[in-house]
């Protein structure tokens, strides 16, 4: 498939989700197109929920569309609508990237997991003997998959309910991670781990800022707005390495751009600068 931006090739992509107005993906992808000289390419955002997704996909012309980025609540809902998904996406039953082929086939992938790994490597984290995960939502399963690839030994997930604990244990077993669960009330204990991955909503982990140890390891906080979080600020203040949600967003978008356009490497620095500018304007 020609993905050079020529008139006869695909030249549209977009991010779908609900809500979607907050998404930074347009800023990142448009910056990539500009840096790559893909003047004819467009990247938009569309408010689409699970009910509207089949009709939206059916209305796209694969001769013009290169692919999609997906956010919640579509990452699992899209799977039955695809022809194939990669092993990475299958491992967590979540697709955040769709590539359209000229013959009409649709392939789903998950760039969140390799994006997490790339963001961690950028901060010098290439392996960890153990880790802690705060939260048990959809991002937590991707975090477990990334931790499995980092060769983490025991991982402890701090969760709010027995139901969430059971879900995380199932994911740990599926992904080959030695996982134990602990109560959210004991989450301060997590901060002594060599790597802490915070997957909780904004404000949920703020109360842990006062419990950051004197010599912390690495923190991966998947939030990017508002930034820094109270936990990230306290962590950095103690000299610990901090990986942000923007780092994750940029690295997973780099992989999406490469899949959609066929151009590699995608311009990481330009995409990060665009994301920082968009956040500063909020």
């Amino acid at each position: 498939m020609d993905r050079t931006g020529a008139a006869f090739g695909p030249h549209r992509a977009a991010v779908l989700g609900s809500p979607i107005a907050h998404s930074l993906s347009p800023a990142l992808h448009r910056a990539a197109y500009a840096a790559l000289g893909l003047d004819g390419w467009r990247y938009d955002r569309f408010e689409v929920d699970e009910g509207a997704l089949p009709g939206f996909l059916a209305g796209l012309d694969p001769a013009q569309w290169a692919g999609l980025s997906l956010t919640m609540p579509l990452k699992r809902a899209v799977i039955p609508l695809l022809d194939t998904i990669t092993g990475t996406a299958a491992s967590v039953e979540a697709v955040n990237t769709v590539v359209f082929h000229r013959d009409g086939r649709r392939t789903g992938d998950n760039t969140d997991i390799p994006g997490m790994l790339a963001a961690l490597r950028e901060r010098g984290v290439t392996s960890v003997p153990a880790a802690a995960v705060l939260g048990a939502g959809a991002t937590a399963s991707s975090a477990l998959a990334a931790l499995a690839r980092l060769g983490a030994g025991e991982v402890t997930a701090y969760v709010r309910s027995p139901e969430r604990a059971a879900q995380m244990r199932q994911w740990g077993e599926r992904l080959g991670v030695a996982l134990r669960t602990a109560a959210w009330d004991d989450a301060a204990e997590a901060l002594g781990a060599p790597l802490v991955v915070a997957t909780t909503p904004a404000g949920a982990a703020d109360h842990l800022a006062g419990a950051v140890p004197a010599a912390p390891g690495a923190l991966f906080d998947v939030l990017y707005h508002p930034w820094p979080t109270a936990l990230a600020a306290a962590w950095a203040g103690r000299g610990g390495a901090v990986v942000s949600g923007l780092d994750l967003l940029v690295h997973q978008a780099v992989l999406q751009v490469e899949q959609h356009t066929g151009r590699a490497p995608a311009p990481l620095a330009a995409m990060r600068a665009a994301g920082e500018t968009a956040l500063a304007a909020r």
Side-chain angles (χ1 to χ4, degrees):
M1 179 187 300
D2 180 86
R3 295 190 183 279
T4 64
F8 56 84
H11 58 269
R12 291 198 67 183
V15 60
L16 313 182
S18 183
I20 200 62
H22 68 286
S23 176
L24 291 180
S25 291
L28 302 183
H29 286 252
R30 290 168 186 169
Y33 298 164
L36 292 170
L38 300 177
D39 298 334
W41 281 66
R42 285 179 53 189
Y43 190 97
D44 303 297
R45 64 163 67 90
F46 294 97
E47 183 84 15
V48 178
D49 61 16
E50 295 114 313
L53 183 60
F56 186 92
L57 290 180
L60 302 182
D61 180 358
Q64 294 298 316
W65 281 80
L68 299 169
S69 309
L70 301 177
T71 186
M72 299 305 291
L74 305 179
K75 292 185 179 183
R76 290 196 170 98
V78 75
I79 293 176
L81 307 174
L82 302 175
D83 296 289
T84 58
I85 64 173
T86 64
T88 301
S91 72
V92 290
E93 296 180 355
V95 165
N96 77 327
T97 306
V98 176
V99 176
F100 294 111
H101 304 275
R102 292 293 291 274
D103 61 6
R105 290 181 301 113
R106 305 164 180 163
T107 300
D109 193 14
N110 185 306
T111 64
D112 285 332
I113 296 167
M116 285 184 175
L117 291 170
L120 286 165
R121 284 196 300 269
E122 190 176 42
R123 296 293 185 268
V125 181
T126 57
S127 64
V128 288
V133 176
L134 302 178
T139 306
S141 60
S142 292
L144 285 181
L147 290 171
R149 297 186 184 194
L150 280 176
E154 185 175 79
V155 177
T156 305
Y158 292 81
V159 300
R160 293 187 181 277
S161 70
E163 293 77 19
R164 292 286 193 177
Q167 290 172 7
M168 287 296 283
R169 286 193 293 270
Q170 289 174 358
W171 279 116
E173 182 175 352
R174 176 171 179 166
L175 295 166
V177 176
L179 180 80
R180 76 176 187 91
T181 57
W184 180 253
D185 289 346
D186 298 325
E189 298 175 358
L191 306 189
L195 171 62
V196 179
V197 184
T199 70
T200 50
D206 286 358
H207 69 288
L208 298 175
V212 175
L219 170 70
F220 193 160
D221 193 326
V222 303
L223 295 171
Y224 60 80
H225 184 70
W227 187 263
T229 63
L231 180 59
W235 204 276
R238 294 280 190 172
V242 176
V243 184
S244 74
L246 181 60
D247 294 324
L248 168 59
L249 190 66
V250 170
H251 278 284
Q252 64 83 29
V254 160
L255 298 171
Q256 289 182 336
V257 168
E258 292 175 354
Q259 290 194 38
H260 289 166
T261 68
R263 299 281 292 273
L268 174 67
M271 294 171 71
R272 174 175 278 126
E276 291 171 346
T277 298
L279 280 177
R282 292 188 174 183

